[in-house]
Amino acid sequence: MTDPIIEHCRVIIEGGSKSFARAARLLDPTIRAGAYQLYAYCRYCDDVIDGQTLGHGQQPPTQAEQAIHLAELRATTARALAGEPVPELVFQGIARIVRQHEIPQRHVTEFLDGMGMDVEGRRYRTFDELKVYCYHVAGVVGVMMAHIMGIKDPDTLQRAEDLGTAMQATNIARDVMDDAQVGRVYLPTDWL
């Protein structure tokens, strides 16, 4: 019998990132299911804040609308993590993997804090400041994925954080022009 949460999340990863979807197929089925659920939650949150669908067709809401959306994401996530019923499958999925893989709930909160940095329109003066943002939107995702893979060793979790942070810095470098078109500048002002 197909698990509706995992199936919903599989469809999201396949629509949002062909490379992540292909990579996930190489994982053990339990880890793959966790990866689907983590990706779907993160993709959903990012889409809500950026006004896009599966990472495409960005139509940014106003900052006030983004703040409302972020508050709703925080509230629904908190309810799901507290074990309360929520209708959205991506929230059920994140709550499930946090329980199953003993992911500290603070990591989910840190991810949402990264969304908050975007809502604030925060600028970064130095690369060290930018790395804090990169941690919140991607480094912490690497840590959560490592938990899904059964990693508990602090040094290995640090490497997972470093990898996620580096991937986000790479995305920023790749997307300089796309971000500028929607009024976002992530490059450190010291560089500019």
Side-chain angles (χ1 to χ4, degrees), residues 28-180:
D28 166 272
T30 301
I31 296 171
R32 181 182 324 124
Y36 286 169
Q37 292 167 92
L38 178 61
Y39 177 90
Y41 173 78
C42 294
R43 173 80 275 146
Y44 179 86
C45 292
D46 197 43
D47 283 352
V48 166
I49 295 300
D50 288 344
Q52 55 192 11
T53 302
L54 298 176
H56 304 289
Q58 192 168 10
Q59 305 252 336
T62 67
Q63 190 172 19
E65 291 169 331
Q66 287 178 318
I68 291 167
H69 295 322
L70 180 60
E72 291 167 350
L73 290 171
R74 287 185 188 281
T76 306
T77 299
R79 285 196 315 275
L81 294 177
E84 296 175 24
V86 292
E88 299 92 344
L89 296 177
V90 294
F91 292 97
Q92 293 174 33
I94 194 69
R96 176 194 286 176
I97 63 170
V98 164
R99 280 190 313 276
Q100 283 179 342
H101 301 285
E102 299 174 351
I103 298 171
Q105 289 187 15
R106 77 175 187 280
H107 292 321
V108 180
T109 301
E110 288 172 326
F111 174 74
L112 291 173
D113 290 345
M115 301 287 105
M117 293 174 182
D118 278 336
V119 169
E120 293 168 11
R122 193 178 291 187
R123 291 291 311 267
Y124 306 96
R125 189 175 53 80
T126 66
F127 185 67
D128 285 340
E129 290 177 5
L130 179 63
K131 284 194 306 189
V132 172
Y133 169 76
C134 291
Y135 165 76
H136 280 86
V137 297
V140 74
V141 177
V143 172
M144 290 189 284
M145 187 63 210
H147 278 281
I148 290 168
M149 298 175 91
I151 305 298
K152 300 296 181 202
D153 171 64
D155 289 337
T156 307
L157 290 172
Q158 181 62 54
R159 299 297 70 80
E161 175 186 320
D162 293 344
L163 179 59
T165 299
M167 289 175 71
Q168 183 62 34
T170 302
N171 288 347
I172 287 168
R174 178 196 67 203
D175 295 340
V176 168
M177 297 307 292
D178 290 340
D179 289 333

